[in-house]
Protein backbone atom coordinates (compact mmCIF):
# COMPACT_ATOMS: atom_id res chain seq x y z
CA UNK A 1 0.00 0.00 0.00
CA UNK A 2 1.54 3.36 -0.99
CA UNK A 3 2.08 5.77 1.93
CA UNK A 4 -0.44 8.56 2.62
CA UNK A 5 1.32 11.90 3.01
CA UNK A 6 -0.25 14.89 4.78
CA UNK A 7 -0.17 18.65 4.11
CA UNK A 8 1.74 18.44 0.85
CA UNK A 9 2.51 21.50 -1.29
CA UNK A 10 0.93 21.14 -4.72
CA UNK A 11 3.15 23.81 -6.27
CA UNK A 12 5.47 21.25 -7.96
CA UNK A 13 2.43 19.29 -9.12
CA UNK A 14 0.65 21.96 -11.18
CA UNK A 15 2.13 23.70 -14.23
CA UNK A 16 0.46 27.00 -13.25
CA UNK A 17 2.82 26.94 -10.27
CA UNK A 18 0.04 27.85 -7.82
CA UNK A 19 1.00 27.46 -4.16
CA UNK A 20 -1.92 25.35 -2.92
CA UNK A 21 -1.74 22.54 -0.35
CA UNK A 22 -3.28 19.07 -0.33
CA UNK A 23 -4.58 17.67 2.96
CA UNK A 24 -3.68 14.11 1.87
CA UNK A 25 -1.53 12.95 -1.03
CA UNK A 26 -0.81 9.46 -2.38
CA UNK A 27 1.50 8.58 -5.27
CA UNK A 28 0.15 5.56 -7.18
CA UNK A 29 3.05 3.79 -8.91
CA UNK A 30 1.36 0.65 -10.27
CA UNK A 31 -2.01 -0.94 -11.02
CA UNK A 32 -1.46 -3.13 -7.94
CA UNK A 33 -1.03 0.06 -5.84
CA UNK A 34 -4.25 1.40 -7.31
CA UNK A 35 -6.21 -1.80 -6.70
CA UNK A 36 -5.08 -2.04 -3.09
CA UNK A 37 -5.51 1.66 -2.39
CA UNK A 38 -9.08 1.71 -3.69
CA UNK A 39 -9.98 -0.59 -0.76
CA UNK A 40 -8.80 2.03 1.77
CA UNK A 41 -11.67 3.63 3.77
CA UNK A 42 -10.31 7.13 3.02
CA UNK A 43 -11.29 6.69 -0.64
CA UNK A 44 -14.97 6.83 0.44
CA UNK A 45 -14.49 9.35 3.25
CA UNK A 46 -12.49 12.04 1.48
CA UNK A 47 -13.09 14.12 -1.64
CA UNK A 48 -10.76 12.72 -4.31
CA UNK A 49 -8.70 14.49 -6.93
CA UNK A 50 -7.07 12.37 -9.63
CA UNK A 51 -3.93 14.14 -10.76
CA UNK A 52 -1.60 13.46 -13.66
CA UNK A 53 0.91 16.17 -14.62
CA UNK A 54 -1.31 18.99 -13.28
CA UNK A 55 -1.11 20.80 -16.65
CA UNK A 56 -4.82 21.42 -17.03
CA UNK A 57 -5.84 22.47 -13.53
CA UNK A 58 -6.09 25.75 -11.61
CA UNK A 59 -6.11 25.53 -7.81
CA UNK A 60 -8.14 28.45 -6.43
CA UNK A 61 -7.82 27.16 -2.86
CA UNK A 62 -6.16 24.42 -0.85
CA UNK A 63 -7.45 20.95 -1.66
CA UNK A 64 -8.95 19.65 1.57
CA UNK A 65 -9.28 16.04 0.40
CA UNK A 66 -7.11 13.25 -1.01
CA UNK A 67 -4.98 13.74 -4.11
CA UNK A 68 -4.21 10.54 -6.05
CA UNK A 69 -1.20 11.27 -8.21
CA UNK A 70 -1.12 8.68 -11.00
CA UNK A 71 2.46 7.61 -11.85
CA UNK A 72 1.86 4.17 -13.43
CA UNK A 73 4.72 3.54 -15.94
CA UNK A 74 5.31 1.25 -18.93
CA UNK A 75 4.83 1.01 -22.70
CA UNK A 76 4.06 -2.23 -24.58
CA UNK A 77 3.51 -2.87 -28.30
CA UNK A 78 1.39 -5.56 -29.92
CA UNK A 79 1.37 -6.04 -33.68
CA UNK A 80 -1.97 -6.17 -35.48
CA UNK A 81 -1.56 -6.41 -39.27
CA UNK A 82 -0.15 -3.13 -40.59
CA UNK A 83 -0.98 -1.50 -37.31
CA UNK A 84 0.31 -1.72 -33.78
CA UNK A 85 -1.66 -1.48 -30.57
CA UNK A 86 0.54 0.50 -28.23
CA UNK A 87 -0.42 0.54 -24.56
CA UNK A 88 1.04 3.03 -22.10
CA UNK A 89 0.66 3.36 -18.35
CA UNK A 90 -1.41 6.35 -17.25
CA UNK A 91 1.61 7.95 -15.56
CA UNK A 92 3.82 7.96 -18.67
CA UNK A 93 4.66 11.54 -19.64
CA UNK A 94 2.69 12.22 -22.82
CA UNK A 95 5.64 13.61 -24.77
CA UNK A 96 7.86 10.67 -23.76
CA UNK A 97 5.19 8.42 -25.23
CA UNK A 98 5.12 10.47 -28.45
CA UNK A 99 8.93 10.34 -28.73
CA UNK A 100 8.88 6.55 -28.17
CA UNK A 101 6.37 6.20 -31.03
CA UNK A 102 8.35 8.46 -33.36
CA UNK A 103 11.57 6.54 -32.65
CA UNK A 104 9.83 3.21 -33.29
CA UNK A 105 8.19 4.39 -36.54
CA UNK A 106 4.71 4.18 -35.05
CA UNK A 107 2.69 6.87 -36.80
CA UNK A 108 -0.33 8.78 -35.52
CA UNK A 109 0.64 10.85 -32.49
CA UNK A 110 3.49 12.96 -33.93
CA UNK A 111 1.22 16.02 -34.39
CA UNK A 112 0.58 15.85 -30.63
CA UNK A 113 4.28 16.35 -29.81
CA UNK A 114 5.12 18.41 -26.71
CA UNK A 115 1.62 18.53 -25.19
CA UNK A 116 2.36 18.51 -21.45
CA UNK A 117 0.81 16.03 -19.02
CA UNK A 118 0.35 12.28 -18.84
CA UNK A 119 -1.03 9.53 -21.01
CA UNK A 120 -3.79 8.87 -18.45
CA UNK A 121 -5.26 12.35 -18.83
CA UNK A 122 -5.16 12.30 -22.63
CA UNK A 123 -8.65 10.81 -23.14
CA UNK A 124 -10.21 13.04 -20.45
CA UNK A 125 -10.32 16.14 -22.62
CA UNK A 126 -9.52 14.31 -25.90
CA UNK A 127 -6.29 16.27 -26.31
CA UNK A 128 -5.71 17.78 -29.70
CA UNK A 129 -3.31 19.89 -31.71
CA UNK A 130 -2.28 20.65 -35.28
CA UNK A 131 -5.06 18.71 -37.00
CA UNK A 132 -5.09 15.56 -34.83
CA UNK A 133 -7.11 14.62 -31.77
CA UNK A 134 -6.55 11.73 -29.40
CA UNK A 135 -9.81 10.14 -30.65
CA UNK A 136 -8.17 9.63 -34.08
CA UNK A 137 -5.74 7.07 -32.61
CA UNK A 138 -7.59 5.89 -29.49
CA UNK A 139 -8.14 2.13 -29.21
CA UNK A 140 -9.30 1.68 -25.59
CA UNK A 141 -8.43 2.47 -22.01
CA UNK A 142 -8.58 0.60 -18.74
CA UNK A 143 -10.01 2.45 -15.76
CA UNK A 144 -10.90 1.59 -12.15
CA UNK A 145 -14.24 2.62 -10.66
CA UNK A 146 -13.71 4.66 -7.48
CA UNK A 147 -16.98 3.34 -6.06
CA UNK A 148 -16.34 -0.41 -6.49
CA UNK A 149 -12.60 -0.69 -7.14
CA UNK A 150 -13.34 -2.83 -10.22
CA UNK A 151 -11.62 -2.30 -13.55
CA UNK A 152 -13.42 -1.71 -16.82
CA UNK A 153 -12.28 -1.38 -20.42
CA UNK A 154 -13.65 1.65 -22.29
CA UNK A 155 -13.76 1.31 -26.07
CA UNK A 156 -13.93 4.24 -28.49
CA UNK A 157 -17.73 4.16 -28.64
CA UNK A 158 -18.00 4.33 -24.83
CA UNK A 159 -15.99 7.54 -24.51
CA UNK A 160 -18.26 10.13 -26.21
CA UNK A 161 -15.29 12.09 -27.50
CA UNK A 162 -15.88 15.65 -28.68
CA UNK A 163 -13.82 18.82 -29.01
CA UNK A 164 -11.87 18.93 -25.69
CA UNK A 165 -14.55 16.64 -24.27
CA UNK A 166 -15.33 13.05 -23.26
CA UNK A 167 -17.50 11.04 -20.90
CA UNK A 168 -14.72 11.41 -18.27
CA UNK A 169 -15.41 15.17 -18.08
CA UNK A 170 -19.17 14.76 -17.92
CA UNK A 171 -21.33 11.95 -16.53
CA UNK A 172 -18.31 9.94 -15.30
CA UNK A 173 -16.37 12.94 -13.97
CA UNK A 174 -14.22 11.72 -11.07
CA UNK A 175 -15.85 8.28 -11.17
CA UNK A 176 -13.04 6.34 -12.90
CA UNK A 177 -9.28 6.35 -12.60
CA UNK A 178 -7.64 5.59 -15.93
CA UNK A 179 -4.71 3.21 -15.43
CA UNK A 180 -3.59 2.69 -19.05
CA UNK A 181 -4.49 3.79 -22.57
CA UNK A 182 -4.11 1.79 -25.81
CA UNK A 183 -3.58 3.47 -29.16
CA UNK A 184 -3.97 2.13 -32.69
CA UNK A 185 -0.91 3.35 -34.57
CA UNK A 186 0.30 2.69 -38.09
CA UNK A 187 3.65 1.20 -39.06
CA UNK A 188 3.26 2.99 -42.42
CA UNK A 189 3.36 6.73 -41.94
CA UNK A 190 0.10 8.54 -42.74
CA UNK A 191 1.41 12.06 -42.63
CA UNK A 192 -1.06 14.74 -41.56
CA UNK A 193 0.38 18.10 -42.57
CA UNK A 194 -2.87 19.93 -43.41
CA UNK A 195 -2.60 22.48 -40.61
CA UNK A 196 -1.49 25.86 -42.05
CA UNK A 197 1.31 26.44 -39.56
CA UNK A 198 2.80 22.97 -40.30
CA UNK A 199 2.73 23.58 -44.04
CA UNK A 200 4.39 26.96 -43.64
CA UNK A 201 7.13 25.56 -41.41
CA UNK A 202 7.77 22.59 -43.76
CA UNK A 203 8.09 25.01 -46.69
CA UNK A 204 10.42 27.14 -44.60
CA UNK A 205 12.63 24.11 -44.07
CA UNK A 206 12.36 22.96 -47.72
CA UNK A 207 10.86 19.64 -46.64
CA UNK A 208 8.60 18.23 -49.35
CA UNK A 209 8.24 14.60 -48.15
CA UNK A 210 8.12 14.80 -44.36
CA UNK A 211 8.73 11.82 -42.11
CA UNK A 212 6.91 11.49 -38.79
CA UNK A 213 10.14 12.63 -37.11
CA UNK A 214 10.10 15.79 -39.25
CA UNK A 215 6.45 16.49 -38.35
CA UNK A 216 7.28 16.02 -34.69
CA UNK A 217 10.18 18.49 -34.91
CA UNK A 218 8.15 21.03 -36.85
CA UNK A 219 5.26 20.86 -34.36
CA UNK A 220 7.77 21.22 -31.55
CA UNK A 221 9.26 24.37 -32.99
CA UNK A 222 5.84 25.95 -33.72
CA UNK A 223 4.75 25.25 -30.15
CA UNK A 224 7.91 26.65 -28.61
CA UNK A 225 7.48 29.87 -30.61
CA UNK A 226 3.89 30.41 -29.44
CA UNK A 227 3.43 28.85 -26.04
CA UNK A 228 5.17 29.66 -22.75
CA UNK A 229 7.24 26.85 -21.21
CA UNK A 230 5.68 25.98 -17.83
CA UNK A 231 9.20 25.31 -16.49
CA UNK A 232 9.85 29.06 -16.68
CA UNK A 233 6.40 30.67 -16.67
CA UNK A 234 3.39 29.02 -15.07
CA UNK A 235 0.42 28.28 -17.32
CA UNK A 236 -2.02 25.54 -18.32
CA UNK A 237 -2.07 26.03 -22.10
CA UNK A 238 -5.28 27.44 -23.61
CA UNK A 239 -7.34 28.72 -20.70
CA UNK A 240 -10.58 28.75 -22.73
CA UNK A 241 -12.01 26.58 -25.49
CA UNK A 242 -12.53 28.00 -28.95
CA UNK A 243 -16.29 28.73 -29.01
CA UNK A 244 -18.43 26.83 -31.52
CA UNK A 245 -21.35 28.90 -32.84
CA UNK A 246 -24.11 28.51 -35.45
CA UNK A 247 -23.68 30.00 -38.94
CA UNK A 248 -26.25 32.78 -38.35
CA UNK A 249 -24.33 34.05 -35.34
CA UNK A 250 -21.06 33.99 -37.29
CA UNK A 251 -22.70 36.08 -40.04
CA UNK A 252 -23.66 38.74 -37.49
CA UNK A 253 -20.17 38.82 -35.98
CA UNK A 254 -18.41 38.82 -39.36
CA UNK A 255 -20.60 41.74 -40.54
CA UNK A 256 -19.29 43.83 -37.64
CA UNK A 257 -15.76 42.34 -37.47
CA UNK A 258 -14.68 41.22 -40.97
CA UNK A 259 -11.29 40.02 -39.71
CA UNK A 260 -12.75 37.47 -37.29
CA UNK A 261 -10.91 34.13 -37.52
CA UNK A 262 -13.10 31.03 -37.85
CA UNK A 263 -13.13 27.44 -39.13
CA UNK A 264 -16.10 25.32 -40.26
CA UNK A 265 -17.27 22.55 -37.93
CA UNK A 266 -19.58 20.28 -39.94
CA UNK A 267 -22.08 22.07 -42.21
CA UNK A 268 -23.92 24.33 -39.78
CA UNK A 269 -21.40 25.51 -37.16
CA UNK A 270 -18.15 27.42 -36.93
CA UNK A 271 -15.32 27.49 -34.42
CA UNK A 272 -14.05 30.97 -33.57
CA UNK A 273 -10.39 31.55 -32.64
CA UNK A 274 -10.78 32.59 -28.99
CA UNK A 275 -7.21 33.98 -29.02
CA UNK A 276 -8.27 36.45 -31.71
CA UNK A 277 -11.43 37.46 -29.77
CA UNK A 278 -9.36 38.04 -26.61
CA UNK A 279 -6.63 39.91 -28.47
CA UNK A 280 -9.29 42.09 -30.12
CA UNK A 281 -10.49 43.12 -26.66
CA UNK A 282 -6.96 44.47 -26.02
CA UNK A 283 -5.79 41.62 -23.81
CA UNK A 284 -2.76 40.18 -25.62
CA UNK A 285 0.36 40.36 -23.44
CA UNK A 286 -1.53 42.24 -20.71
CA UNK A 287 -0.09 42.02 -17.19
CA UNK A 288 -2.58 42.21 -14.34
CA UNK A 289 -0.92 41.90 -10.94
CA UNK A 290 0.86 38.53 -10.96
CA UNK A 291 -1.23 37.16 -13.81
CA UNK A 292 -1.97 38.11 -17.41
CA UNK A 293 -2.18 36.83 -20.98
CA UNK A 294 0.84 35.50 -22.85
CA UNK A 295 2.53 37.94 -25.22
CA UNK A 296 2.42 35.52 -28.19
CA UNK A 297 -0.93 33.84 -27.46
CA UNK A 298 -3.77 35.69 -25.75
CA UNK A 299 -5.63 32.41 -25.09
CA UNK A 300 -2.98 31.40 -22.56
CA UNK A 301 -3.18 32.89 -19.06
CA UNK A 302 0.10 32.94 -17.15
CA UNK A 303 1.49 33.18 -13.64
CA UNK A 304 4.20 35.84 -13.46
CA UNK A 305 5.56 34.32 -10.27
CA UNK A 306 3.36 34.57 -7.22
CA UNK A 307 -0.17 34.57 -8.67
CA UNK A 308 -2.91 32.99 -6.61
CA UNK A 309 -5.47 30.79 -8.29
CA UNK A 310 -8.20 33.25 -7.28
CA UNK A 311 -6.33 36.08 -8.99
CA UNK A 312 -6.05 34.09 -12.23
CA UNK A 313 -9.70 33.07 -11.97
CA UNK A 314 -10.97 36.63 -11.50
CA UNK A 315 -8.80 37.83 -14.39
CA UNK A 316 -10.43 35.11 -16.52
CA UNK A 317 -13.87 36.45 -15.44
CA UNK A 318 -12.87 39.88 -16.73
CA UNK A 319 -11.87 38.40 -20.10
CA UNK A 320 -15.15 36.46 -20.35
CA UNK A 321 -17.13 39.66 -19.59
CA UNK A 322 -15.31 41.80 -22.13
CA UNK A 323 -15.44 39.20 -24.92
CA UNK A 324 -19.16 38.74 -24.23
CA UNK A 325 -19.83 42.48 -24.32
CA UNK A 326 -17.96 42.98 -27.58
CA UNK A 327 -18.89 39.83 -29.52
CA UNK A 328 -21.92 38.37 -27.71
CA UNK A 329 -20.01 35.08 -27.28
CA UNK A 330 -19.48 33.44 -23.87
CA UNK A 331 -16.09 31.79 -23.52
CA UNK A 332 -15.99 28.48 -21.68
CA UNK A 333 -12.96 27.57 -19.58
CA UNK A 334 -10.91 24.58 -20.76
CA UNK A 335 -8.84 24.41 -17.59
CA UNK A 336 -10.31 22.45 -14.64
CA UNK A 337 -11.03 24.88 -11.80
CA UNK A 338 -10.50 23.45 -8.32
P1 LIG B 1 -4.08 16.98 -15.09
O1 LIG B 1 -3.97 18.44 -15.28
O2 LIG B 1 -3.36 16.37 -13.95
O3 LIG B 1 -5.61 16.57 -15.01
C1 LIG B 1 -6.54 17.06 -15.96
C2 LIG B 1 -7.90 16.41 -15.72
O4 LIG B 1 -7.83 15.01 -15.98
C3 LIG B 1 -8.36 16.51 -14.26
O5 LIG B 1 -9.77 16.64 -14.24
C4 LIG B 1 -7.93 15.17 -13.66
O6 LIG B 1 -8.73 14.79 -12.56
C5 LIG B 1 -8.13 14.23 -14.84
N1 LIG B 1 -7.19 13.10 -14.83
C6 LIG B 1 -5.83 13.18 -14.88
N2 LIG B 1 -5.30 11.94 -14.90
C7 LIG B 1 -6.33 11.08 -14.86
C8 LIG B 1 -6.43 9.65 -14.84
N3 LIG B 1 -5.35 8.84 -14.86
N4 LIG B 1 -7.66 9.09 -14.76
C9 LIG B 1 -8.78 9.87 -14.75
N5 LIG B 1 -8.74 11.21 -14.75
C10 LIG B 1 -7.54 11.81 -14.81
N6 LIG B 1 -4.10 20.34 -24.30
C11 LIG B 1 -4.48 19.99 -25.55
O7 LIG B 1 -5.47 19.28 -25.73
N7 LIG B 1 -3.79 20.44 -26.64
C12 LIG B 1 -2.71 21.23 -26.53
O8 LIG B 1 -2.10 21.59 -27.53
C13 LIG B 1 -2.27 21.59 -25.23
N8 LIG B 1 -1.20 22.41 -25.06
C14 LIG B 1 -0.79 22.74 -23.80
C15 LIG B 1 0.34 23.56 -23.68
C16 LIG B 1 0.79 23.91 -22.42
C17 LIG B 1 2.03 24.77 -22.28
C18 LIG B 1 0.12 23.44 -21.25
C19 LIG B 1 0.64 23.77 -19.89
C20 LIG B 1 -1.02 22.65 -21.38
C21 LIG B 1 -1.49 22.29 -22.67
N9 LIG B 1 -2.64 21.50 -22.86
C22 LIG B 1 -3.02 21.12 -24.12
C23 LIG B 1 -3.43 21.03 -21.69
C24 LIG B 1 -2.87 19.76 -21.02
O9 LIG B 1 -1.57 19.50 -21.46
C25 LIG B 1 -3.74 18.55 -21.34
O10 LIG B 1 -5.06 18.76 -20.91
C26 LIG B 1 -3.21 17.27 -20.67
O11 LIG B 1 -3.87 16.15 -21.18
C27 LIG B 1 -3.35 17.30 -19.16
O12 LIG B 1 -2.63 16.20 -18.65
P2 LIG B 1 -2.26 16.11 -17.11
O13 LIG B 1 -1.70 14.75 -16.88
O14 LIG B 1 -1.38 17.24 -16.75
O15 LIG B 1 -3.68 16.24 -16.44
N1 LIG C 1 -4.70 34.18 -32.73
C1 LIG C 1 -4.76 35.54 -32.61
N2 LIG C 1 -4.32 36.10 -31.42
C2 LIG C 1 -3.87 35.35 -30.40
C3 LIG C 1 -3.84 33.95 -30.51
C4 LIG C 1 -4.26 33.37 -31.70
O1 LIG C 1 -5.17 36.24 -33.51
O2 LIG C 1 -3.47 35.93 -29.39
C5 LIG C 1 -5.11 33.57 -34.00
C6 LIG C 1 -3.90 32.93 -34.72
O3 LIG C 1 -3.20 33.87 -35.48
C7 LIG C 1 -4.55 31.86 -35.56
C8 LIG C 1 -5.78 31.45 -34.73
O4 LIG C 1 -6.01 32.49 -33.78
O5 LIG C 1 -5.00 32.39 -36.79
C9 LIG C 1 -5.58 30.12 -34.01
O6 LIG C 1 -4.41 30.19 -33.20
P1 LIG C 1 -3.49 28.91 -32.90
O7 LIG C 1 -3.13 28.22 -34.18
O8 LIG C 1 -2.40 29.34 -32.00
O9 LIG C 1 -4.46 27.91 -32.16
P2 LIG C 1 -5.57 28.13 -31.04
O10 LIG C 1 -6.91 27.93 -31.67
O11 LIG C 1 -5.34 29.38 -30.29
C10 LIG C 1 -5.74 25.61 -30.48
C11 LIG C 1 -5.76 24.77 -29.25
C12 LIG C 1 -4.36 24.51 -28.74
C13 LIG C 1 -3.56 23.80 -29.83
C14 LIG C 1 -3.55 24.69 -31.08
C15 LIG C 1 -2.89 24.01 -32.26
C16 LIG C 1 -7.88 25.14 -28.13
C17 LIG C 1 -8.59 25.76 -26.99
N3 LIG C 1 -6.57 25.39 -28.22
O12 LIG C 1 -5.25 26.88 -30.09
O13 LIG C 1 -4.44 23.65 -27.60
O14 LIG C 1 -2.24 23.55 -29.42
O15 LIG C 1 -4.91 24.99 -31.47
O16 LIG C 1 -3.71 23.02 -32.75
O17 LIG C 1 -8.49 24.42 -28.92
C18 LIG C 1 -4.73 23.64 -25.25
O18 LIG C 1 -5.77 23.03 -25.45
O19 LIG C 1 -4.28 23.91 -24.11
C19 LIG C 1 -3.94 24.09 -26.41
C20 LIG C 1 -2.81 24.80 -26.31
Amino acid sequence: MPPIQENISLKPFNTFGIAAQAKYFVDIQSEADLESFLKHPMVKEETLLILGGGSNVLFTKDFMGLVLKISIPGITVEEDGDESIVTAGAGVVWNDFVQYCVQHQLAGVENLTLIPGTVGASPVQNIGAYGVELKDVFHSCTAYAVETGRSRVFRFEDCQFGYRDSIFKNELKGAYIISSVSFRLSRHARINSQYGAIQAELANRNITRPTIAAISEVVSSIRVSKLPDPATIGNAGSFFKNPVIPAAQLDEIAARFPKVIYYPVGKTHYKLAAGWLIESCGFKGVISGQTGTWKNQALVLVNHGEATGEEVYSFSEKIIDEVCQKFGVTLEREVNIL
Side-chain angles (χ1 to χ4, degrees):
M1 174 87 70
I4 301 168
Q5 304 171 64
E6 279 185 57
N7 300 324
I8 290 292
S9 166
L10 292 170
K11 196 167 177 173
F13 299 109
N14 73 98
T15 60
F16 245 120
I18 301 293
Q21 294 257 323
K23 190 167 174 208
Y24 301 109
F25 185 97
V26 174
D27 193 9
I28 302 286
Q29 304 257 5
S30 64
E31 276 201 24
D33 268 6
L34 184 56
E35 277 179 23
S36 70
F37 194 75
L38 285 175
K39 296 188 181 114
H40 196 289
M42 274 180 89
V43 170
K44 296 248 159 52
E45 290 160 13
E46 300 292 334
T47 311
L48 289 195
L49 170 63
I50 309 156
L51 197 63
S55 64
N56 207 24
V57 292
L58 176 69
F59 289 105
T60 56
K61 49 186 175 301
D62 289 339
F63 188 74
M64 296 313 289
L66 169 64
V67 172
L68 289 189
K69 163 96 176 78
I70 307 300
S71 306
I72 302 170
I75 300 180
T76 56
V77 182
E78 222 179 287
E79 298 201 354
D80 183 14
D82 278 352
E83 297 185 314
S84 294
I85 307 297
V86 187
T87 300
V92 172
V93 170
W94 174 262
N95 194 50
D96 292 351
F97 168 69
V98 171
Q99 295 312 319
Y100 176 95
C101 296
V102 169
Q103 276 157 25
H104 291 80
Q105 295 298 320
L106 297 163
V109 285
E110 57 282 357
N111 294 48
L112 305 177
T113 295
L114 227 56
I115 295 181
T118 57
V119 165
S122 64
V124 176
Q125 74 155 6
N126 178 28
I127 57 169
Y130 299 100
V132 172
E133 286 186 327
L134 171 105
K135 71 173 172 55
D136 303 329
V137 288
F138 180 88
H139 174 269
S140 59
C141 67
T142 301
Y144 285 75
V146 171
E147 193 61 32
T148 63
R150 281 208 295 270
S151 73
R152 171 179 164 187
V153 173
F154 287 82
R155 309 244 158 235
F156 179 86
E157 53 280 13
D158 301 323
C159 295
Q160 299 175 11
F161 289 125
Y163 165 57
R164 295 295 189 275
D165 209 13
S166 78
I167 196 164
F168 303 109
K169 268 183 91 171
N170 294 297
E171 61 189 89
L172 296 185
K173 190 174 166 66
Y176 278 88
I177 302 171
I178 297 168
S179 59
S180 67
V181 185
S182 298
F183 303 84
R184 185 179 285 285
L185 301 180
S186 172
R187 290 201 302 285
H188 301 288
R190 295 166 302 194
I191 298 296
N192 181 337
S193 58
Q194 297 306 304
Y195 206 90
I198 295 186
Q199 288 188 354
E201 187 58 25
L202 287 171
N204 199 19
R205 295 177 184 213
N206 289 321
I207 300 174
T208 46
R209 298 187 60 197
T211 59
I212 60 171
I215 296 285
S216 176
E217 271 175 38
V218 160
V219 167
S220 222
S221 82
I222 298 168
R223 293 184 69 96
V224 168
S225 71
K226 285 192 181 175
L227 296 166
D229 176 1
T232 51
I233 184 148
N235 75 93
S238 301
F239 198 87
F240 305 99
K241 293 192 201 178
N242 286 323
V244 177
I245 60 168
Q249 195 180 358
L250 174 67
D251 290 345
E252 284 169 28
I253 295 173
R256 287 193 296 136
F257 304 98
K259 290 188 176 155
V260 63
I261 298 173
Y262 59 88
Y263 318 91
V265 178
K267 291 201 171 114
T268 55
H269 283 70
Y270 291 86
K271 193 186 266 185
L272 299 181
W276 184 87
L277 300 176
I278 297 169
E279 180 176 351
S280 304
C281 291
F283 276 113
K284 193 169 184 173
V286 159
I287 296 178
S288 166
Q290 289 289 310
T291 186
T293 45
W294 184 235
K295 58 182 186 327
N296 300 334
Q297 231 302 356
L299 191 48
V300 177
L301 303 199
V302 295
N303 175 1
H304 286 294
E306 300 298 326
T308 62
E310 274 177 320
E311 189 181 4
V312 177
Y313 186 82
S314 52
F315 182 59
S316 75
E317 293 270 74
K318 201 169 153 198
I319 293 176
I320 292 173
D321 286 351
E322 297 214 8
V323 167
C324 189
Q325 269 180 35
K326 186 161 181 168
F327 297 102
V329 171
T330 304
L331 294 179
E332 193 188 323
R333 292 180 186 85
E334 181 198 292
V335 172
N336 297 278
I337 309 296
L338 292 159

